[in-house]
Amino acid sequence: MTYETFGKLEVAKPLADFARSQLAPGTDVGVEQFWSSLAQVIERFGPSIRASLDERDDLQARIDSWHRNRGQQSASSADFLRSIGYLVEDPPSAAVTTAGVDPEVSRLAGPQLVVPVDNARYALNAANARWGSLYDALYGTDAIDEANGAERSGPYNPIRGQRVIDRVRTLLDSHFPLLSGSHAEAVSYSVFEGRLRADLAGGVSAELADHAQFVAYTGDKSAPDTVMFSKHGLHIELIIDRSHAIGRDDPAGVADVRMESALTTIVDLEDSVAAVDAKDKTLAYANWLGLMQGNLTVSFTKGGQSIARSLNSDTSAVDPAGKPLTVRRRSVMLVRSVGLHMETDIVRLDGQPIPETIVDVAVTAWCALYDLAGAGPHRNSHAGSVYIVMPKLHGPEEAGLVRELFAAVEAILGMAPNTLKMGIMDEERRTSLNLPACIAEASERVVFINTGFLDRTGDDIHTNMEAGPMIPKAEIKASGWLTAYEEANVAVGLAMGLPGHAQIGKGMWARPDDMAAMLDEKVGHPRAGATTAWVPSPTAATLHALHYLETDVAAVQADRAESRADRDAEIEAMLAPAVLPPDRELSPGEIQRELDNNAQGILGYVTRWVGQGVGCSKVPDIDDVALMEDRATLRISSQHIANWLHHGLLSEEQVVETMQRVAAVVDSQNEDDPVYEPMSSDLATSIPFSAALALVLEGRDQPNGYTEPILTAHRRRQKAAG
């Protein structure tokens, strides 16, 4: 790798060139100034970050020893963890005071997308997913069944289309009812004296039961082009166009119904990205810069047509009183850094790699200066903030360390204090147990907590590796600790005063093709009091948004805030590992099926991560159910096999044989991919297969069970091999 030198700092040539030619020119931050100042930040925080990683290892060793000698221990798990500093006392009072937060983050409730920043097309799709077509989302998914002639295959199916229209009219009647009649009877809409009027079949007319739900329109009052309603802070928009293929057959001319969907999007540098060198990382930073400048574009071919994509522009409308208003058409974007455990050589200090987090925070914040200055055609944060999500923090000391890092970066970029806002991923066991103290450490910056139940499960397996063999992976979702963890996240967020300042979030729906099931199940997130939850696609965001029309999250939070669970009982429940009960013995068939399923997920994901540099994939499980896989799901599967291997439920020979057999299955699932390189044709030389095997056989020895070191090393080998 070629470097450019700035004093003690060496910067990889692609990154140095990017900073000089694309990043610096539109800001008041000079290249020499930035890198020399960053060197001081690295000197200050590098040793502290490495010390925190050493502390993680030391605590894990103590926990391993305690589990191995549990029969000789008299102290409870909680008492032991307090004695070693793993578990700390909750702060007596430290309410969140974060200011300058956009309403999409501070008080509105709605879906959240997570998108890899290294794919410009996907990033633009996500940023533009603030609005989505309900017609398209229902028509194109299993949310509408295919019985009685309503199949999705082939050209437009009018039977299926009518079912979609009927479903949407029922939704309108449920959430935006008329004083009499139904939206299904409407033959036209108009605005009269600041109120919406629906003319119904039979010559009668009706107004909305709640006039306040009508918030905007475009076009002529007597025949508007669009009509917009609002409920619980979310909007829904009727598109009226009698020349449209759908609108001309609709009695009221309604051509589409658009739902306000992804209020926020996490633009990801972490688990959904495979960035292992300066070229990869610079591409990621360049895409983030384009989003912050508002000028990111991409061209691609789809269905034989050339398509150009850019960020959506805001649109104008008129409120019921006739006053103009602006309708936001883009998500508010947060950016997620890598965790503290990652090191990089794209920047070196005195010839040595440095914590990658420092580079991520500093460079992404530098990019955001364009948005703060309003220099581009679009604004991300009208409140003047930069939202950086920090993953995989272990406890309050690390949250405090990141707070200080943010302040140091603000200083070198000339930002006002507390411009950089912190999202705290509540995804590591030590953070979830100490969440009040973690929030208190960032009480002036925190804008987000989120239950990353996938990483949380992987960490729980690794932390309790010596406690015994775990129950089958699918059963962990119903375990007591996970239920307590999900409930505690909301309870702590409310007790710390997050409403009005920050999001309380829930994790990902991992089955992107199962939208009917999502509509049935994911309503539990807003009903639990969460203001946001992750979805895998813009379509899923549009459908999940219906749950926030159904649920008044603010009212749920107000009710829950009145009753606080017993904190000691909460912690005890979260500490119980999901180990097999002594009286339960798994059959050889159960064990093999679990191993097959885990091996399938690992190989299906790793072959794309290592072989193609794809950080997030839709991978079929052993039953051919497509699941979204990223490094968090990989962590669970690899740690689960490592746990069973450690406790003798599996042998190394059985694991290797299974991985070899399943590799051929994964190859067959990818045979239509023209750039896919099969593993099974030569397992001995397949770098992706070698990585997958290492993740399992070396899983117990990986710090906190993280997969990144093995993945990164093998991806670099793959790239070097061409």
Side-chain angles (χ1 to χ4, degrees):
M1 192 181 304
T2 304
Y3 292 89
E4 188 168 341
T5 302
F6 300 89
K8 296 181 178 180
L9 215 59
E10 296 171 296
V11 181
K13 197 70 167 58
L15 180 57
D17 290 344
F18 162 73
R20 179 178 295 104
S21 64
Q22 298 181 53
L23 182 48
T27 72
D28 294 329
V29 179
V31 170
E32 295 284 348
Q33 167 201 342
F34 176 81
W35 294 121
S36 62
S37 299
L38 189 64
Q40 297 175 27
V41 171
I42 295 166
E43 287 180 318
R44 175 183 169 189
F45 288 96
S48 298
I49 290 174
R50 293 189 179 96
S52 74
L53 300 179
D54 290 341
E55 183 181 27
R56 295 182 189 183
D57 293 342
D58 178 64
L59 290 171
Q60 184 62 56
R62 294 188 184 200
I63 292 170
D64 286 344
S65 176
W66 187 81
H67 277 304
R68 285 193 293 266
N69 298 291
R70 184 67 193 272
Q72 306 169 30
Q73 306 284 353
S74 59
S76 69
S77 178
D79 287 341
F80 164 70
L81 294 176
R82 288 190 180 96
S83 73
I84 64 172
Y86 184 99
L87 184 60
V88 303
E89 296 298 324
D90 290 347
S93 60
V96 167
T97 60
T98 314
V101 185
D102 291 275
E104 291 90 342
V105 177
S106 62
R107 60 179 179 81
L108 296 178
Q112 186 168 70
L113 282 168
V114 182
V115 65
V117 69
D118 58 351
N119 189 310
R121 176 180 169 184
Y122 292 173
L124 286 167
N125 287 349
N128 290 337
R130 178 65 174 260
W131 291 83
S133 166
L134 263 178
Y135 280 7
D136 289 349
L138 291 167
Y139 187 94
T141 68
D142 67 346
I144 300 292
D145 69 55
E146 298 189 354
N148 301 317
E151 295 85 2
R152 276 182 279 175
S153 58
Y156 178 74
N157 182 341
I159 296 174
R160 185 173 185 82
Q162 190 58 51
R163 285 192 189 173
V164 169
I165 292 169
D166 293 344
R167 174 83 167 265
V168 173
R169 292 299 198 278
T170 300
L171 286 168
L172 292 174
D173 287 341
S174 174
H175 297 297
F176 309 99
L178 301 172
L179 278 171
S180 62
S182 164
H183 286 280
E185 302 172 84
V187 296
S188 67
Y189 291 95
S190 59
V191 180
F192 181 72
E193 294 183 349
R195 295 187 176 188
L196 183 72
R197 182 169 65 188
D199 293 322
L200 308 181
V204 297
S205 62
E207 296 181 351
L208 287 177
D210 181 357
H211 295 299
Q213 289 189 316
F214 170 52
V215 295
Y217 69 96
T218 63
D220 189 84
K221 288 182 180 181
S222 62
D225 298 324
T226 66
V227 171
M228 189 177 293
F229 306 131
S230 176
K231 183 181 180 184
H232 301 154
L234 282 185
H235 299 84
I236 197 166
E237 186 177 36
L238 276 59
I239 310 300
I240 302 170
D241 182 357
R242 295 186 184 274
S243 67
H244 187 273
I246 302 298
R248 65 171 172 249
D249 294 329
D250 186 273
V254 176
D256 199 358
V257 177
R258 294 178 187 155
M259 183 74 221
E260 191 173 21
S261 304
L263 296 181
T264 54
T265 290
I266 294 178
V267 182
D268 194 22
L269 284 159
E270 198 224 5
D271 271 359
S272 64
V273 173
V276 301
D277 56 26
K279 181 180 178 181
D280 293 343
K281 202 74 179 188
T282 301
L283 170 64
Y285 291 150
N287 286 344
W288 174 247
L289 175 63
L291 292 170
M292 292 296 94
Q293 291 175 326
N295 59 11
L296 182 64
T297 59
V298 64
S299 298
F300 56 94
T301 301
K302 184 176 182 180
Q305 292 185 329
S306 180
I307 298 173
R309 189 155 292 163
S310 59
L311 286 169
N312 287 342
S313 298
D314 294 340
T315 60
S316 299
V318 179
D319 73 9
K323 296 180 180 179
L325 57 81
T326 299
V327 180
R328 172 129 184 175
R329 297 296 181 179
R330 299 170 312 285
S331 283
V332 171
M333 290 173 280
L334 303 80
V335 63
R336 183 165 67 169
S337 164
V338 301
L340 296 181
H341 61 290
M342 296 290 288
E343 285 212 335
T344 184
D345 61 359
I346 65 170
V347 176
R348 300 192 305 198
L349 180 69
D350 295 327
Q352 297 301 312
I354 67 164
E356 190 171 348
T357 302
I358 298 176
V359 186
D360 273 359
V361 171
V363 174
T364 56
W366 192 4
C367 294
L369 286 177
Y370 285 89
D371 183 63
L372 296 178
H378 311 295
R379 290 297 299 272
N380 183 54
S381 172
H382 288 283
S385 289
V386 182
Y387 304 108
I388 302 178
V389 177
M390 294 304 303
K392 297 179 175 58
L393 295 177
H394 286 240
E397 289 185 1
E398 292 189 5
L401 179 62
V402 171
R403 180 199 66 230
E404 294 302 316
L405 172 62
F406 279 18
V409 170
E410 286 169 344
I412 68 175
L413 294 174
M415 291 178 171
N418 294 326
T419 296
L420 300 182
K421 304 299 196 294
M422 188 193 306
I424 298 175
M425 290 297 302
D426 178 15
E427 60 185 346
E428 303 296 310
R429 189 171 181 263
R430 191 168 156 211
T431 290
S432 65
L433 292 167
N434 297 296
L435 187 56
C438 292
I439 294 172
E441 286 289 343
S443 61
E444 295 180 343
R445 293 185 185 271
V446 66
V447 287
F448 166 100
I449 59 172
N450 188 291
T451 54
F453 73 93
L454 297 172
D455 263 306
R456 179 65 176 79
T457 301
D459 191 42
D460 209 82
I461 295 172
H462 185 85
T463 304
N464 291 306
M465 183 66 71
E466 298 291 343
M470 297 293 154
I471 59 178
K473 189 171 68 174
E475 297 178 23
I476 296 177
K477 292 181 180 179
S479 64
W481 75 258
L482 189 51
T483 301
Y485 158 68
E486 292 285 355
E487 293 177 351
N489 177 263
V490 176
V492 168
L494 295 178
M496 297 295 290
L498 264 66
H501 302 278
Q503 294 177 316
I504 300 175
K506 294 293 182 185
M508 179 66 76
W509 178 262
R511 306 198 309 269
D513 295 335
D514 294 345
M515 291 294 97
M518 189 195 76
L519 283 170
D520 288 341
E521 299 175 34
K522 203 169 175 66
V523 67
H525 284 158
R527 286 178 180 173
T531 52
T532 194
W534 287 359
V535 286
S537 67
T539 294
T542 297
L543 294 176
H544 182 41
L546 297 173
H547 295 144
Y548 298 90
L549 288 184
E550 177 182 329
T551 308
D552 185 348
V553 175
V556 172
Q557 290 183 337
D559 288 342
R560 288 207 59 181
E562 296 297 321
S563 58
R564 180 71 173 96
D566 180 82
R567 181 67 174 150
D568 289 336
E570 201 171 63
I571 289 173
E572 288 291 346
M574 282 194 284
L575 286 174
V579 294
L580 281 169
D583 59 350
R584 182 178 177 186
E585 184 174 348
L586 299 175
S587 70
E590 288 177 302
I591 292 172
Q592 186 61 55
R593 179 173 175 78
E594 184 76 7
L595 176 57
D596 285 354
N597 198 32
N598 279 328
Q600 174 109 5
I602 292 170
L603 286 162
Y605 177 67
V606 170
T607 188
R608 295 176 185 169
W609 205 104
V610 172
Q612 301 178 7
V614 177
C616 187
S617 298
K618 189 164 70 170
V619 177
D621 70 3
I622 205 69
D623 297 315
D624 275 332
V625 175
L627 301 176
M628 292 301 296
E629 299 277 353
D630 65 5
R631 292 206 298 258
T633 56
L634 179 66
R635 186 182 181 192
I636 298 175
S637 298
S638 59
Q639 286 301 298
H640 198 275
I641 295 179
N643 173 266
W644 279 16
L645 191 59
H646 178 57
H647 289 284
L649 275 70
L650 300 167
S651 68
E652 183 171 327
E653 293 75 19
Q654 183 181 9
V655 171
V656 173
E657 184 279 327
T658 299
M659 298 284 277
Q660 291 173 338
R661 173 171 47 81
V662 173
V665 176
V666 172
D667 285 347
S668 68
Q669 291 172 334
N670 288 276
E671 60 187 4
D672 292 334
D673 183 347
V675 299
Y676 181 80
E677 295 184 7
M679 295 176 286
S680 57
S681 57
D682 190 355
L683 292 172
T685 62
S686 170
I687 297 173
F689 183 79
S690 173
L693 207 56
L695 285 164
V696 172
L697 300 182
E698 302 171 25
R700 179 169 168 258
D701 299 323
Q702 295 304 302
N704 304 108
Y706 291 135
T707 62
E708 291 91 323
I710 289 174
L711 287 175
T712 299
H714 284 78
R715 174 62 183 157
R716 284 190 161 193
R717 281 180 55 202
Q718 183 77 26
K719 293 185 78 171

